[in-house]
Amino acid sequence: VRPIVTADILAVGSELLTPHRVDTNSLFLTGRLNDLGIAVRMKSAIRDNPRELTAALTNALSNADLIVTTGGLGPTADDLTREAVADLLGLELVERPDVLAVIQERFARRGAAMPAINRRQAMAPEGAIVLPNPNGTAPGLLLEQGDRMVVLLPGPPREMQPMFDGWVVPRLADRTRGRRLHRRVLKVTGRSESQVEEVAEPIYAAAGTAETPVETTILASPGQIELHLSSAGDDGQTIGRVLDEAVARLAEALGDVVFSVDGRSIEEVVGDLLHRRGWRVAVAESCTGGALMARLTDVPGASAWVLGGVVAYANEVKIAELGVPAGLIERHGAVSEETAGAMAEGVRARLHAEIGVSITGIAGPGGGSPEKPVGTVVVAVTTGAGTSVRRFWFPGEREVVRRFSAMAALDMLRRALSTS
Ligand code: ATP
Ligand code: MG
């Protein structure tokens, strides 16, 4: 038989087509399948309707090596997956006494008789492998039809996930012949998606058509662009080398805006840099309201390099707790290079830290002016050697501006800690 390289996922259940339930099963399955070097060709959410289910299954069967369905294995009349698949493959549904016994036993343990409708869950297409379900009544089903594999799983994630990992992954591993998906992630800050694309495209385009092709996708979030590189195959050593070369070429072309090629977040990178120097950071935040501190302390072990901070939202607090001169705020405004610098220097001095960082800005939607529109943010970083201050303008809503701001401050810390 041929190896399995493509899959379709069918999420069955009318509730998935309402605003109240999200199809998370397909995300879980896509992750697991990708790890096995299997690409998901298509996924769909389908109502509990026999005609639509059959149409979707027909399409999947004619295109993918593997079809995984979730949901619709329950005992009620609207659970149709088992019947639709048997019908389409021309297989008889037969009652499996062993499966029936397990279901009856499950009810007996709770002191109840099995309702007659549950008998349907003991039906399986001839030749199917029954996948036990220790967390529910609906067993899963696995069918191998020539080169193709069809797997039917229950809908509830806590039943579906252990069943997939316990019974389906080992069988799939046999059918993928050592094929695996290998990945690298390169993280960039301080550049827009199109700026990254412009520099990176010639490199990843070439890598995409090389003898061992590397697939690249760009993911953007406020203040951060990620380049995801992946390649599937059975020669892990060659693929690893090819991926590392592509990462090195991209990192070289993009320069010091790349902060991570090993999966670390920027707060982890900053934490490592602080830790290596034996330095501790003090934080003064205005418009981010603690978001920078939250990220710095997200990293396990942060107590070794985070000293503390002040959320100085009101000017009184900037003056009283950080020692920013009142006249300076009056002359230049709370959002200014001067105030940001004084905030960082103030918090560093008062907390006796080696390095201080501050953020002050206008997150919006109100408070903007022609000279300082919403999205104007000033960040300062100070060490014994001096203070650097930068003014930014970030587009977007309040939450987005706040996320950009924390990211910019983390990047200025990274830069200050990387030099000398
Ligand atoms: P059961 O024996 O539990 O009835 P089933 O296979 O019939 O199994 P469904 O009735 O289709 O499962 O789904 C039960 C519940 O599982 C749904 O209400 C929903 O909360 C959850 N569920 C179903 N499909 C998905 C999905 N694709 N993603 C996330 N949750 C899901
Ligand atoms: Mg259902």
Side-chain angles (χ1 to χ4, degrees), residues 11 15-16 21-25 70-74 79 121 138 154-157:
E15 72 276 11
L16 301 172
R21 279 281 180 285
V22 184
D23 163 30
T24 56
N25 285 349
T70 72
L73 293 181
D79 291 307
Q121 295 183 298

Side-chain angles (χ1 to χ4, degrees), residues 84-122:
V85 169
D87 234 33
L88 208 59
L89 298 177
L91 298 171
E92 193 94 33
L93 276 175
V94 291
E95 188 174 276
R96 297 276 290 256
D98 49 331
V99 180
L100 186 63
V102 171
I103 299 173
Q104 278 167 335
E105 154 74 10
R106 216 185 138 72
F107 280 97
R109 247 184 294 141
R110 283 182 278 154
M114 185 190 79
I117 55 163
N118 284 86
R119 207 171 181 108
R120 281 182 64 207
Q121 295 183 298

Side-chain angles (χ1 to χ4, degrees), residues 325-344:
L328 190 138
I329 298 181
E330 256 160 58
R331 271 196 309 281
H332 303 284
V335 179
S336 62
E337 281 78 355
E338 291 78 1
T339 299
M343 285 169 68

Side-chain angles (χ1 to χ4, degrees), residues 130-275:
V130 175
L131 312 176
N133 183 354
N135 305 303
T137 51
L141 296 165
L142 189 149
L143 288 146
E144 293 192 88
Q145 293 253 306
D147 288 335
R148 272 190 324 232
M149 189 187 286
V150 182
V151 181
L152 314 187
L153 301 172
R158 53 176 291 277
E159 300 178 25
M160 185 280 288
Q161 294 180 2
M163 191 182 286
F164 189 81
D165 284 341
W167 299 97
V168 186
V169 169
R171 283 203 105 79
L172 281 175
D174 283 347
R175 290 286 305 273
T176 55
R177 311 246 175 83
R179 247 177 90 83
R180 290 289 177 276
L181 189 78
H182 302 264
R183 293 179 236 254
R184 299 285 186 279
V185 180
L186 202 127
K187 299 181 183 180
V188 171
T189 185
R191 290 282 182 275
S192 70
E193 188 174 1
S194 44
Q195 288 171 325
V196 171
E197 168 83 9
E198 192 163 46
V199 177
E201 199 274 339
I203 297 166
Y204 71 68
T209 54
E211 190 185 329
T212 301
V214 174
E215 197 176 307
T216 306
T217 50
I218 299 195
L219 270 84
S221 55
Q224 180 165 319
I225 311 291
E226 295 181 7
L227 288 165
H228 288 227
L229 280 62
S230 66
S231 186
D234 54 15
D235 182 357
Q237 215 163 3
T238 301
I239 294 173
R241 187 173 44 75
V242 167
L243 284 171
D244 287 338
E245 280 166 14
V247 167
R249 248 177 274 133
L250 287 165
E252 157 122 52
L254 287 160
D256 67 359
V257 294
V258 176
F259 66 82
S260 166
V261 293
D262 55 11
R264 281 182 306 162
S265 63
I266 194 158
E267 47 271 39
E268 288 175 297
V269 170
V270 167
D272 286 347
L273 288 167
L274 285 164
H275 198 48

